[in-house]
Amino acid sequence: MSDIDTEAKVLGKTTKYCLTSAALIITIGNKKPQTVPLHNVIAACYHSDARLLEIAYVIRLKKKGPLHLVHLDGQVEESNAEAAGNLAKTTLEWAYKDVKPNRRLKVLINPHGGVGKGVTTFNKLVEPVFRAAGCILDLVHTTKTGDAYEIAKSLPLPEFDALITVSGDGLIHEVLNGFANHAYPRKALQMPVAPIPTGSGNGLSLNLLGIEDGFDVVAASLNVIKGSPMSVDVFCFTQNERRTISFMSQAVGLMADVDLGTEDLRWMGDTRFIYGLLRGLIKFKPCHVQLSYKAVEQDKKKMFENLNLRRSKNGSVVPRENQDDNSELPESKIGLDETEGWTTFPEPLLYLYAGKGPYVGRDFMAFPVSLPDDGLIDIVVQSTKNFSRTDVLASFGGAPKGELYWNDSLHYAKAEAYRIKPLSKKGYLSIDGESYPFEEFQVEVLPKLATLLSPHGYYNASFDDLTARKK
């Protein structure tokens, strides 16, 4: 595949373009050449009547900075017109190889999510990227809790290629439950969903984009434009005979206190979680619940090895099996009174955290060996037995890298299902960051039921064997 070259005048400076199979290399005047990966090119067009070459892409202006949108409009000499047209046409073809251009997007914007900058962020940073890429937008500003649920529940599926949330993880929770109650729930849950992170924790965005780009709204916008559908497991949360979809996490004890007990501090951003942790440690009270779970694996070494095995296969997600798109959601396979093969946790709990996806926030990789489609839920249990406030503070130093996983006092299991029975009347229960009644419930896995847009096809989280490093 030979390179394609042309040149044009950008702001009066001679600009050279060289298209390779992997990148578009742009040299403006005497400046250092800029190498733009084709994945980052979102538009290329040559207007023959005006001899204008337009290129749009996103790139980092600083090595560790966020992505920025760049527009280059170059005036082409008549002698270079044919080459410019060929370069624009080929650039667009290669940049969107295996990806549908001009995606039709239903965009839900929560003006009140996180620190309340969703609208400003979208208008200033996100919408210009979508428009440059030629996306067709249907924008809705949510006004109250439940709006996203109702929109997803009645969404005309053939009219859109993806549903985008400009908010935190709470809006994703609403959307997936709206899809679950759609007239065609399975088909609705195959609609790709992607977050633009303007919330406090932004756990899903961190899991899809990684720790460096998880809060970068332009990187998230690029995922919307170029990402591929990835089937993921979700959970059926059953409480008082009512079924709810959970996609990220369930928490009781200290971790629920940290999340729900700091709702009034959203103005602090994700710093509120650190404050909530320190406040919770002052009380250091056990969570009075009975935990039972149906474990499949509890050997930390084996779970880590399985994670690495998936990495060695480039993290490829196994495609979902063919199913009737119009069928109802799968029935529960695990009875609420089933006990065979179940284990009851024998120690007092400081907290229980269960979920899917390594990160729950920028400062906490709670489920480091989580896989998007293994059909299991990762359960983390911290006992108060032989564990002090000082131990908690010391262990949380490595929380952003998942190092708590290797602590002997931390119990970690992959399970098909689990259930919680409160032994006291007071307490917090957090489901995907949303408050639910502190009452008995059961959670089981619904394999590969939902769909996300992903730039990688796997969770972008690096996790190492801490025990090997200590040897």
Side-chain angles (χ1 to χ4, degrees):
M1 193 178 291
S2 59
D3 296 349
I4 300 174
D5 302 275
T6 194
E7 65 178 48
K9 291 279 189 180
V10 176
L11 298 177
K13 295 183 179 180
T14 298
T15 301
K16 296 181 179 180
Y17 305 79
C18 178
L19 176 64
T20 72
S21 60
L24 180 62
I25 303 170
I26 302 171
T27 307
I28 302 177
N30 296 322
K31 291 183 178 180
K32 182 180 178 181
Q34 188 174 62
T35 300
V36 183
L38 286 177
H39 180 76
N40 290 36
V41 177
I42 60 174
C45 181
Y46 178 65
H47 301 276
S48 57
D49 52 344
R51 294 207 304 273
L52 184 67
L53 177 61
E54 294 181 338
I55 305 289
Y57 56 91
V58 296
I59 200 163
R60 299 184 201 282
L61 302 182
K62 296 180 180 178
K63 187 175 181 180
K64 292 190 176 181
L67 290 173
H68 289 267
L69 174 63
V70 176
H71 284 277
L72 280 188
D73 293 342
Q75 197 66 48
V76 179
E77 295 287 344
E78 187 173 356
S79 59
N80 291 320
E82 184 177 349
N86 186 31
L87 181 131
K89 179 177 179 294
T90 309
T91 297
L92 198 63
E93 289 175 356
W94 292 359
Y96 282 90
K97 183 181 179 182
D98 301 325
V99 176
K100 179 183 177 182
N102 312 122
R103 282 176 168 168
R104 302 164 301 161
L105 307 176
K106 184 74 172 184
V107 183
L108 308 185
I109 305 169
N110 179 7
H112 310 295
V115 294
K117 295 183 178 180
V119 174
T120 301
T121 299
F122 181 81
N123 293 341
K124 183 178 179 181
L125 298 174
V126 178
E127 186 173 11
V129 178
F130 288 165
R131 298 292 185 191
C135 294
I136 301 167
L137 307 181
D138 184 340
L139 309 179
V140 177
H141 290 71
T142 61
T143 59
K144 62 183 182 302
T145 300
D147 280 358
Y149 170 90
E150 294 297 336
I151 291 168
K153 182 180 177 182
S154 59
L155 190 72
L157 302 176
E159 296 181 14
F160 300 99
D161 298 309
L163 188 150
I164 312 305
T165 61
V166 184
S167 186
D169 296 311
L171 217 62
I172 300 282
H173 178 84
E174 281 194 39
V175 165
L176 293 181
N177 277 283
F179 282 164
N181 288 278
H182 196 278
Y184 305 104
R186 283 188 188 261
K187 190 171 184 179
L189 285 161
Q190 290 182 24
M191 170 72 69
V193 175
I196 302 295
T198 60
S200 299
N202 301 311
L204 180 59
S205 184
L206 288 164
N207 290 324
L208 294 172
L209 305 179
I211 194 69
E212 291 185 1
D213 290 335
F215 276 63
D216 185 344
V217 296
V218 175
S221 302
L222 181 62
N223 179 43
V224 170
I225 296 164
K226 294 286 190 78
S228 299
M230 179 176 78
S231 298
V232 294
D233 305 332
V234 291
F235 312 114
C236 177
F237 168 85
T238 303
Q239 186 178 62
N240 296 324
E241 299 184 355
R242 180 184 176 187
R243 302 174 78 198
T244 301
I245 295 294
S246 170
F247 75 97
M248 189 172 71
S249 66
Q250 309 93 43
V252 295
L254 176 62
M255 292 308 170
D257 297 350
V258 167
D259 191 356
L260 300 178
T262 58
E263 280 288 316
D264 58 332
L265 302 174
R266 284 185 173 271
W267 57 270
M268 295 176 67
D270 60 341
T271 306
R272 71 182 175 100
F273 299 118
I274 300 298
Y275 172 81
L277 175 64
L278 295 174
R279 188 171 68 180
L281 287 178
I282 294 174
K283 300 177 181 178
F284 199 72
K285 59 181 181 179
C287 178
H288 298 292
V289 299
Q290 182 186 81
L291 164 66
S292 302
Y293 52 92
K294 192 173 185 179
V296 172
E297 184 58 76
Q298 300 185 74
D299 185 311
K300 291 183 180 181
K301 277 286 188 181
K302 287 184 178 179
M303 289 184 281
F304 178 73
E305 289 168 0
N306 190 45
L307 175 70
N308 282 334
L309 181 63
R310 284 290 293 270
R311 282 179 180 172
S312 68
K313 296 178 180 178
N314 296 320
S316 57
V317 174
V318 179
R320 66 160 60 90
E321 297 175 1
N322 291 331
Q323 56 189 15
D324 181 0
D325 290 345
N326 297 336
S327 64
E328 295 298 314
L329 294 182
E331 293 294 326
S332 176
K333 295 181 180 179
I334 299 175
L336 298 176
D337 55 355
E338 179 181 313
T339 58
E340 185 177 352
W342 286 68
T343 300
T344 298
F345 192 73
E347 301 174 14
L349 277 63
L350 179 62
Y351 65 82
L352 169 134
Y353 226 157
K356 178 72 66 172
Y359 291 105
V360 294
R362 186 156 42 186
D363 296 316
F364 192 14
M365 185 191 287
F367 313 114
V369 295
S370 175
L371 294 168
D373 62 344
D374 60 359
L376 301 171
I377 185 167
D378 289 37
I379 300 175
V380 177
V381 185
Q382 179 61 66
S383 168
T384 57
K385 187 177 180 181
N386 301 320
F387 198 69
S388 66
R389 293 182 179 88
T390 305
D391 294 329
V392 175
L393 285 173
S395 65
F396 265 85
K401 297 181 179 179
E403 293 178 3
L404 274 73
Y405 177 85
W406 298 111
N407 289 354
D408 292 337
S409 66
L410 189 81
H411 301 267
Y412 199 111
K414 283 183 176 286
E416 294 178 0
Y418 77 95
R419 61 176 69 107
I420 287 285
K421 181 179 180 180
L423 303 177
S424 63
K425 293 184 178 180
K426 291 185 178 180
Y428 284 118
L429 169 58
S430 172
I431 307 297
D432 298 340
E434 303 300 306
S435 180
Y436 276 70
F438 189 63
E439 298 172 1
E440 187 172 357
F441 67 88
Q442 177 171 297
V443 175
E444 68 176 288
V445 183
L446 300 175
K448 300 186 185 73
L449 192 65
T451 310
L452 304 173
L453 285 176
S454 166
H456 307 288
Y458 55 87
Y459 292 139
N460 188 21
S462 177
F463 179 55
D464 299 319
D465 187 346
L466 187 63
T467 61
R469 278 192 278 153
K470 289 182 177 179
K471 291 180 181 178

